[in-house]
Amino acid sequence: MKRTALYVVWIFIVIVSGACTVNLSEGSVVLTPAENDGEIETRIDAGENTRLEEETSIEAQIGIGEKTSDEEKELNESVKIKLTVGNQVLEAVLAENTSAEALLDKLKEGPVTIDMRDYASMEKVGDFPWHLPRNDQQITTEAGDLILYQGKAFVIYYAPNSWNFTRIGKVEGLTGAELKSALGSGNVSVTLSIE
């Protein structure tokens, strides 16, 4: 049973990564690399104790099939926050992850003001008054990305950077130059609130 569960997890990872196609045949699963001339394949025998329903595809069994773009997966278009910088109000869309959800919960308690400083001519950075859960992944930032760094630092990028970060949102409707201008050249206070 444990071996079968491991095979199912492995098959799931292989399918999600797009590395292989999956064919079900009697008593086994055949994996063929996506970019393959048909000569290489991996066969996993299901054994007597494992049964895959013939009329149900492996994709349906593990919930694959509906594809959305990375942008659609990462940003929740319906959840927005405000960033107030001086007399300017910027609008941002929150990401869909536990970090953004935790930030939203904190903002429901009231606005938070963060003192931010310029760093490396690509970002403004300051600390939240609390820690948020991390969902780090290797990403290259774009102008407007709102980033959680090491669970406590809040970063607004106006130029690209690649690192292990948690994206918590994105400022809408501004170029990098416009965002840099809105944030100013020195230290700045940014107030986050719910719209």
Side-chain angles (χ1 to χ4, degrees), residues 21 34-35 64 86 104 119 154 167:
T21 58
E35 295 182 22
I64 300 178
L104 186 61
Y119 180 77
F154 175 64
R167 182 177 283 119

PDB file of all heavy atoms in Angstrom, residues 21 34-35 64 86 104 119 154 167:
ATOM      1  N   THR A  21       4.152  11.943 -20.360  1.00  0.00           N
ATOM      2  CA  THR A  21       2.752  11.639 -20.579  1.00  0.00           C
ATOM      3  C   THR A  21       2.480  10.301 -19.904  1.00  0.00           C
ATOM      4  O   THR A  21       3.393   9.496 -19.712  1.00  0.00           O
ATOM      5  CB  THR A  21       2.415  11.549 -22.086  1.00  0.00           C
ATOM      6  OG1 THR A  21       3.246  10.546 -22.672  1.00  0.00           O
ATOM      7  CG2 THR A  21       2.653  12.886 -22.762  1.00  0.00           C
ATOM      8  N   ALA A  34       7.987  13.634 -22.200  1.00  0.00           N
ATOM      9  CA  ALA A  34       7.249  14.509 -23.105  1.00  0.00           C
ATOM     10  C   ALA A  34       8.012  14.768 -24.397  1.00  0.00           C
ATOM     11  O   ALA A  34       7.433  14.803 -25.472  1.00  0.00           O
ATOM     12  CB  ALA A  34       6.920  15.823 -22.407  1.00  0.00           C
ATOM     13  N   GLU A  35       9.322  14.964 -24.315  1.00  0.00           N
ATOM     14  CA  GLU A  35      10.130  15.182 -25.511  1.00  0.00           C
ATOM     15  C   GLU A  35      10.923  13.908 -25.760  1.00  0.00           C
ATOM     16  O   GLU A  35      12.081  13.783 -25.396  1.00  0.00           O
ATOM     17  CB  GLU A  35      11.052  16.393 -25.321  1.00  0.00           C
ATOM     18  CG  GLU A  35      10.257  17.671 -25.169  1.00  0.00           C
ATOM     19  CD  GLU A  35      11.151  18.885 -25.038  1.00  0.00           C
ATOM     20  OE1 GLU A  35      12.324  18.834 -25.462  1.00  0.00           O
ATOM     21  OE2 GLU A  35      10.660  19.877 -24.517  1.00  0.00           O
ATOM     22  N   ILE A  64      -5.976  16.950 -11.982  1.00  0.00           N
ATOM     23  CA  ILE A  64      -5.282  17.775 -12.959  1.00  0.00           C
ATOM     24  C   ILE A  64      -6.179  17.944 -14.174  1.00  0.00           C
ATOM     25  O   ILE A  64      -7.051  17.154 -14.417  1.00  0.00           O
ATOM     26  CB  ILE A  64      -3.963  17.101 -13.395  1.00  0.00           C
ATOM     27  CG1 ILE A  64      -3.075  16.909 -12.200  1.00  0.00           C
ATOM     28  CG2 ILE A  64      -3.251  17.930 -14.450  1.00  0.00           C
ATOM     29  CD1 ILE A  64      -1.790  16.213 -12.527  1.00  0.00           C
ATOM     30  N   GLY A  86       2.387  59.289   1.447  1.00  0.00           N
ATOM     31  CA  GLY A  86       2.099  60.728   1.455  1.00  0.00           C
ATOM     32  C   GLY A  86       0.632  60.943   1.111  1.00  0.00           C
ATOM     33  O   GLY A  86      -0.256  60.384   1.748  1.00  0.00           O
ATOM     34  N   LEU A 104      -3.840  39.978   5.085  1.00  0.00           N
ATOM     35  CA  LEU A 104      -5.219  40.468   5.012  1.00  0.00           C
ATOM     36  C   LEU A 104      -5.889  40.383   6.387  1.00  0.00           C
ATOM     37  O   LEU A 104      -6.558  41.331   6.817  1.00  0.00           O
ATOM     38  CB  LEU A 104      -6.010  39.670   3.973  1.00  0.00           C
ATOM     39  CG  LEU A 104      -7.418  40.147   3.678  1.00  0.00           C
ATOM     40  CD1 LEU A 104      -7.428  41.574   3.129  1.00  0.00           C
ATOM     41  CD2 LEU A 104      -8.099  39.192   2.708  1.00  0.00           C
ATOM     42  N   TYR A 119      16.833  50.504  -0.909  1.00  0.00           N
ATOM     43  CA  TYR A 119      17.901  49.524  -0.867  1.00  0.00           C
ATOM     44  C   TYR A 119      18.317  49.182  -2.299  1.00  0.00           C
ATOM     45  O   TYR A 119      17.468  48.788  -3.109  1.00  0.00           O
ATOM     46  CB  TYR A 119      17.450  48.255  -0.125  1.00  0.00           C
ATOM     47  CG  TYR A 119      18.527  47.205  -0.051  1.00  0.00           C
ATOM     48  CD1 TYR A 119      19.575  47.326   0.858  1.00  0.00           C
ATOM     49  CD2 TYR A 119      18.527  46.118  -0.907  1.00  0.00           C
ATOM     50  CE1 TYR A 119      20.583  46.379   0.924  1.00  0.00           C
ATOM     51  CE2 TYR A 119      19.525  45.168  -0.851  1.00  0.00           C
ATOM     52  CZ  TYR A 119      20.551  45.299   0.057  1.00  0.00           C
ATOM     53  OH  TYR A 119      21.550  44.362   0.110  1.00  0.00           O
ATOM     54  N   PHE A 154       8.916  43.731   4.629  1.00  0.00           N
ATOM     55  CA  PHE A 154       7.991  44.070   3.546  1.00  0.00           C
ATOM     56  C   PHE A 154       8.792  44.853   2.512  1.00  0.00           C
ATOM     57  O   PHE A 154       9.464  45.830   2.849  1.00  0.00           O
ATOM     58  CB  PHE A 154       6.837  44.914   4.083  1.00  0.00           C
ATOM     59  CG  PHE A 154       5.901  45.416   3.016  1.00  0.00           C
ATOM     60  CD1 PHE A 154       5.147  44.537   2.262  1.00  0.00           C
ATOM     61  CD2 PHE A 154       5.766  46.783   2.778  1.00  0.00           C
ATOM     62  CE1 PHE A 154       4.272  44.995   1.290  1.00  0.00           C
ATOM     63  CE2 PHE A 154       4.896  47.254   1.812  1.00  0.00           C
ATOM     64  CZ  PHE A 154       4.151  46.364   1.064  1.00  0.00           C
ATOM     65  N   ARG A 167       5.958  36.185  -2.751  1.00  0.00           N
ATOM     66  CA  ARG A 167       5.193  37.275  -3.369  1.00  0.00           C
ATOM     67  C   ARG A 167       3.867  37.378  -2.621  1.00  0.00           C
ATOM     68  O   ARG A 167       3.142  36.407  -2.487  1.00  0.00           O
ATOM     69  CB  ARG A 167       4.955  37.012  -4.850  1.00  0.00           C
ATOM     70  CG  ARG A 167       4.206  38.139  -5.547  1.00  0.00           C
ATOM     71  CD  ARG A 167       4.034  37.911  -7.049  1.00  0.00           C
ATOM     72  NE  ARG A 167       5.275  38.184  -7.752  1.00  0.00           N
ATOM     73  CZ  ARG A 167       5.940  37.284  -8.473  1.00  0.00           C
ATOM     74  NH1 ARG A 167       5.489  36.050  -8.572  1.00  0.00           N
ATOM     75  NH2 ARG A 167       7.048  37.611  -9.094  1.00  0.00           N
TER      76      ARG A 167
END
